[in-house]
Amino acid sequence: MTVPELSGTQEAILAAYAELIEEVGSDDVSYRVIARRAGIAERTVFRNYPTRVDLLLATAAWIEATLFAREESHSIFDIPLAIRDAMQRYDARPELAHVVAETAMRGVSGAAPSPGRAHLERLLDAEVPSLDAAQRRAVIAALSHLDSVGTWVTFRREFGMDRRDIADAAAWAAEAVLDDIRDRVSPRPIT
């Protein structure tokens, strides 16, 4: 996910709010406390993020782009490993993972539930161009869903899975999605 370029003040606000979320949760944090942690005036927080929704969306995007950032995969078949790594990062910072997931799952205007879709499309175009539109859509939908903090939350809350089990299950499911298209990979030119 890309975050619009932020000023130093905005970065300080978002970092302070993320720290406070980990310490006390997202509901118990006032603009005054965020301002104090960021070393700025409360009015400055309001000027940059006039509503709690604005602040929450910006913070969720910042968390994904910075604290949960990852390198782009070079092959569609590397995605299961990237998913495994992402699940472990979410598990290491569960409070922040919940904020990102709940922002996306609520459908809050501006939330991006599938930030890696364009990358998956490029990988499929390059490696498996023979997929028809329905197959392509199914692969992208399944991988996008698996590669989300929402999947981590579901595995954690509903199934009570631990860090390793979540990472293994998500990677296994991604492998299962890709198994059906492995034999259709276009050969790469030798360089």
Side-chain angles (χ1 to χ4, degrees):
M1 169 178 267
T2 58
V3 176
E5 192 164 325
L6 300 172
S7 69
T9 299
Q10 290 169 323
E11 183 95 20
I13 292 167
L14 300 178
Y17 188 36
E19 289 173 10
L20 289 162
I21 288 169
E22 286 189 295
E23 292 172 21
V24 297
S26 62
D27 294 336
D28 298 327
V29 180
S30 69
Y31 273 38
R32 177 176 292 131
V33 172
I34 295 167
R36 191 174 305 135
R37 176 67 60 95
I40 58 174
E42 184 176 359
R43 170 182 258 161
T44 305
V45 178
F46 279 107
R47 199 172 22 244
N48 283 277
Y49 303 102
T51 69
R52 298 277 298 172
V53 170
D54 293 332
L55 178 61
L56 188 62
L57 282 172
T59 304
W62 181 83
I63 290 166
E64 272 198 297
T66 59
L67 303 178
F68 295 149
R70 65 176 92 177
E71 292 182 29
E72 285 194 345
S73 298
H74 297 292
S75 169
I76 194 76
F77 299 102
D78 292 338
I79 296 297
L81 292 174
I83 291 172
R84 175 187 302 278
D85 291 342
M87 295 298 145
Q88 291 174 338
R89 279 194 305 280
Y90 300 146
D91 205 75
R93 300 184 91 171
E95 291 296 328
L96 298 182
H98 280 98
V99 166
V100 172
E102 290 171 14
T103 301
M105 289 190 291
R106 283 184 198 160
V108 177
S109 178
S114 183
R117 180 179 176 174
H119 182 63
L120 292 172
E121 289 174 349
R122 285 191 305 276
L123 292 174
L124 279 177
D125 285 345
E127 295 180 75
V128 195
S130 63
L131 289 181
D132 66 37
Q135 292 168 320
R136 177 186 165 88
R137 186 174 50 251
V139 168
I140 291 170
L143 292 176
S144 293
H145 177 71
L146 289 168
D147 193 12
S148 72
V149 70
T151 296
W152 177 85
V153 169
T154 299
F155 287 176
R156 169 66 77 194
R157 283 186 183 166
E158 293 187 26
F159 296 102
M161 296 170 81
D162 67 18
R163 178 183 185 153
R164 183 179 177 158
D165 289 343
I166 292 170
D168 288 347
W172 175 84
E175 288 287 354
V177 168
L178 294 171
D179 279 345
D180 288 340
I181 65 170
R182 284 186 197 285
D183 62 341
R184 299 179 65 182
V185 174
S186 294
R188 291 185 181 204
I190 298 173
T191 55

